[in-house]
Amino acid sequence: MTRKSTRLDGRILTPLSQQHGEPQAFKITIAATDREPTLRTLEGYEWIYVLSGRLRLLLGEHDIVMRAGEAAEFDTKDPHWFGAAGGNRGPVEILSMFGKQGERIHVRTRSKGAAEALASKVVPQVK
C-alpha cells in the first residue's frame, strides 16, 4: 500500500518507507519562507541529505547552510530546526530518515576517493 504525501506547515512530506516500523524515510519539500525558526526537541535520531536547493539547519548553537549533496545526522533531543535557506532562494528538497529509538545511519563501505571528497564537506556532529 502506497502512503500518500501530506502538507504540513509549508512542507510536503512524502513517505518513502512501505512499512510502518522504524526508522522511517521521507522526501520533504520545504517552501522558502521568512518565518522565524522555532527550535524543537523530540526522542530519536535524524539523518538528512539535501537533494536540491539550500537547507538551513539550526542545531543547538550551530547555524549551518547545506547545499545539494551534503548530509547531516543528529540526535533530535538536541534543540533543532531546518528549513529553506533564505526567503527568496526557493524551496529545498531533502531526504530524511528518522527513528524514535535513536537508530543511526551506518556507512559500511566508502571508496577512498569518495571519502577524501567528503572530508572537505563534513558537517560536524554535535553531541
Side-chain angles (χ1 to χ4, degrees):
M1 169 190 243
T2 302
R3 297 166 56 197
K4 301 205 182 285
S5 296
T6 57
R7 290 183 178 270
L8 178 66
D9 198 27
R11 300 168 185 232
I12 301 171
L13 287 83
T14 304
L16 301 175
S17 305
Q18 295 300 314
Q19 82 282 358
H20 290 281
E22 300 284 330
Q24 288 289 301
F26 297 90
K27 177 183 167 207
I28 304 173
T29 303
I30 307 169
T33 179
D34 286 328
R35 191 175 337 169
E36 191 66 28
T38 303
L39 296 173
R40 65 184 187 129
T41 62
L42 61 148
E43 291 291 322
Y45 210 82
E46 188 152 14
W47 177 87
I48 295 172
Y49 177 84
V50 181
L51 293 169
S52 66
R54 292 167 37 119
L55 180 80
R56 181 177 179 203
L57 171 63
L58 300 180
L59 187 56
E61 69 274 0
H62 300 279
D63 190 344
I64 303 162
V65 175
M66 300 169 54
R67 291 175 174 75
E70 295 182 318
E73 63 177 353
F74 55 93
D75 186 329
T76 56
K77 287 183 277 185
D78 294 327
H80 66 281
W81 173 90
F82 55 85
N88 61 354
R89 296 196 185 269
V92 62
E93 287 185 313
I94 64 172
L95 291 179
S96 169
M97 290 189 65
F98 173 77
K100 290 182 181 174
Q101 302 302 316
E103 298 90 343
R104 295 185 62 177
I105 302 301
H106 299 282
V107 178
R108 295 186 56 125
T109 62
R110 180 179 294 146
S111 70
K112 183 178 178 183
E116 290 169 356
L118 285 174
S120 65
K121 295 184 177 182
V122 172
V123 175
Q125 186 177 19
V126 178
K127 295 194 181 215

